[in-house]
Amino acid sequence: MIRADGPISVERYMGLCNEHYYATRDPLGAKGDFTTAPEISQMFGELVGAWLADLWLRAGSPRNVHYVELGPGRGTLAADALRAMRAAGLEPPAQLVETSPVLRAAQATRIPQARWHDDVSTLPANVPLLIVANEFFDALPIEQSLQTDEGSRTLKVDYAEGRFVRSPADPQAIVETSPASRAIVRELARRLNAQGGAALIVDYGHVRSGVGETLQSVSGHGYADPWADPGERDLSAHVDFEALEAAARAEGVEAFGPVMQGEWLRAMGIDVRAASLAKAAPEHAARIAAARERLTAPRQMGSLFKVLALTAKGWPRPEGLS
Ligand code: SAH
C-alpha cells in the first residue's frame, strides 16, 4: 500500500497490524506475548460478575438483560463472570464482540451458547445490556499528531530501506487520540440510554488526556519495536479515560470513576474472596496470594489499570467507584 500510494497514517498501520495479529493467534498466557487480569486469577471475572449482578438486583432484576463482552480473549472472564452471576440468580444470554476466528474458537469452548458479533452495531436492541471490556480499548488503533505552528499534523508511517519508519520520531510532542474507541463508547452509551444497563471498562491508561507517545509493542512478555514485524507483535496504547468519559457523557449516560483497579478490586471484596479460595484449597494458598498481589499492588497492575463505569439514566449507582 505504501509503495503504491505513499505513507499511511499511524492509525491505519496499527489497525492493520492488530487485525492480522489477533486473527492469526491466541496471544495470551505464559507461552504467548502478554497476560491479562482474567488469565491471572478467576477472582477478577468473579468480581466483575458480582458487580454486574449487584447492579442488576438493585435495578429490579429485569429478566431480559443480555451480557455483552468486547474482545473476550479466551472467554475466561466471561465464564467466571457468568458463573458468579448465576449464583445471584442472573443467567443472561452472552453476546461476544470478537473479530478473531482463533479467539472465537477459544471462546466457544467456554461459552458454547454465546452469539458472536463483528462489531457493536449488531448487538440486540430493546433489551438492557450488561457490558464488559477488559483490555479491549488499548488494542484499538490510535491516531498520532503533532501540534505545529501551522496547526495539527497527522503522523504517517513510511517504508524505506527495508523497514517501516514513523516520522518524525520525537515522541515528546505527540498527541494521541483514538477515534475508533470514541465511536464505540458513543454507540454503547447511546444504547445504554435507549435500552438500559451498564458498562464496565477496565484498561491500562491515564485519567487525564495528555501529550506524549504511549504506543507500545509487546512480544514474548517484553517490549519490542512497534515498527518492526508488523502484525506479528501486539500493538497497544494507553487508554485516554478522560476522552472515553467525555464521549459517554455527551450521549447522556452517567459515568463513575475512573478508579485504580487495585482500589476497585478491594472495594469489591478481593481480600475476602482470596481468603475463601485459599481456605478451600490450602495447597494453592501461595498462588492465590500472589495473584491477588499482582492484580492489586500499585507497583504491578493495581494503579496503572483503571476502572470506568457507565450506567443508563435511572439505573442504580455502581459499587466500588465512588
Ligand atoms: N479481554 C481479554 C482479551 C484482551 S486482548 C482478556 O482480558 O484476556 C484484546 C481482545 O480484543 C482480543 O480478544 C482481540 O481479538 C479483540 N479485538 C481486538 N481488536 C478488535 C476489534 N477491532 N473488534 C473486536 N475485537 C477486537
Side-chain angles (χ1 to χ4, degrees), residues 22 28 34 36 38 71-73 97-100 103 134-136 140:
Y22 283 108
L28 299 160
F34 59 97
T36 56
V97 178
E98 174 62 69
T99 42
S100 163
L103 290 170
N134 184 63
E135 289 213 48
F136 169 72
L140 296 188

Side-chain angles (χ1 to χ4, degrees), residues 68-118:
V68 173
E69 192 176 331
L70 311 182
R74 290 177 173 171
T76 309
L77 165 50
D80 292 337
L82 288 164
R83 190 179 62 252
M85 288 189 270
R86 202 152 50 234
L90 170 57
E91 294 188 66
Q95 311 283 347
L96 306 181
V97 178
E98 174 62 69
T99 42
S100 163
V102 175
L103 290 170
R104 277 190 185 199
Q107 291 153 22
T109 65
R110 290 172 182 84
I111 314 114
Q113 73 281 14
R115 292 247 176 113
W116 281 268
H117 303 263
D118 291 329

Side-chain angles (χ1 to χ4, degrees), residues 5 9 24 42 52 58 60 67 77 98 115 122 124 133 138-139 145 149 151 167 172 183 194 218 224 268 302:
D5 300 324
S9 68
T24 50
Q42 70 188 73
L52 292 171
R58 289 189 289 121
Y67 174 83
L77 165 50
E98 174 62 69
R115 292 247 176 113
T122 53
D138 68 13
S145 60
D149 295 341
S167 52
Q172 304 303 327
V218 165
M268 288 303 298

Side-chain angles (χ1 to χ4, degrees), residues 72-306:
R74 290 177 173 171
T76 309
L77 165 50
D80 292 337
L82 288 164
R83 190 179 62 252
M85 288 189 270
R86 202 152 50 234
L90 170 57
E91 294 188 66
Q95 311 283 347
L96 306 181
V97 178
E98 174 62 69
T99 42
S100 163
V102 175
L103 290 170
R104 277 190 185 199
Q107 291 153 22
T109 65
R110 290 172 182 84
I111 314 114
Q113 73 281 14
R115 292 247 176 113
W116 281 268
H117 303 263
D118 291 329
D119 57 58
V120 294
S121 68
T122 53
L123 289 172
N126 307 320
V127 290
L129 304 177
L130 299 174
I131 304 167
V132 176
N134 184 63
E135 289 213 48
F136 169 72
F137 287 103
D138 68 13
L140 296 188
I142 53 152
E143 187 179 273
Q144 291 186 327
S145 60
L146 270 189
Q147 305 300 327
T148 67
D149 295 341
E150 296 91 58
S152 165
R153 181 156 61 88
T154 303
L155 298 186
K156 303 227 155 132
V157 181
D158 202 352
Y159 185 74
E161 291 165 13
R163 41 196 299 267
F164 290 87
V165 279
R166 192 269 327 274
S167 52
D170 172 25
Q172 304 303 327
I174 290 176
V175 174
E176 296 177 339
T177 57
S178 179
S181 299
R182 280 204 308 257
I184 291 172
V185 167
R186 263 202 308 275
E187 165 76 4
L188 296 178
R190 201 184 56 68
R191 280 169 173 276
L192 287 180
N193 261 351
Q195 304 174 210
L200 189 72
I201 297 172
V202 186
D203 226 307
Y204 86 102
H206 40 265
V207 172
R208 296 272 159 261
S209 305
V211 174
E213 173 165 42
T214 71
L215 178 69
Q216 68 176 34
S217 169
V218 165
S219 179
H221 298 265
Y223 291 109
D225 177 2
W227 315 112
D229 291 338
E232 302 302 328
R233 298 169 176 187
D234 174 63
L235 292 183
S236 69
H238 277 225
V239 170
D240 179 350
F241 280 95
E242 186 175 0
L244 296 193
E245 201 182 319
R249 283 192 198 277
E251 293 292 334
V253 297
E254 309 276 1
F256 300 90
V259 298
M260 291 183 219
Q261 173 174 297
E263 271 175 42
W264 183 76
L265 288 172
R266 271 193 299 274
M268 288 303 298
I270 194 170
D271 296 337
V272 176
R273 185 63 186 139
S276 111
L277 285 173
K279 196 167 166 219
E283 69 280 16
H284 295 311
R287 196 173 52 76
I288 293 161
R292 188 200 54 174
E293 183 71 6
R294 191 161 169 200
L295 293 173
T296 58
R299 285 164 160 269
Q300 304 203 42
M301 296 174 79
S303 55
L304 176 60
F305 281 76
K306 313 288 187 307

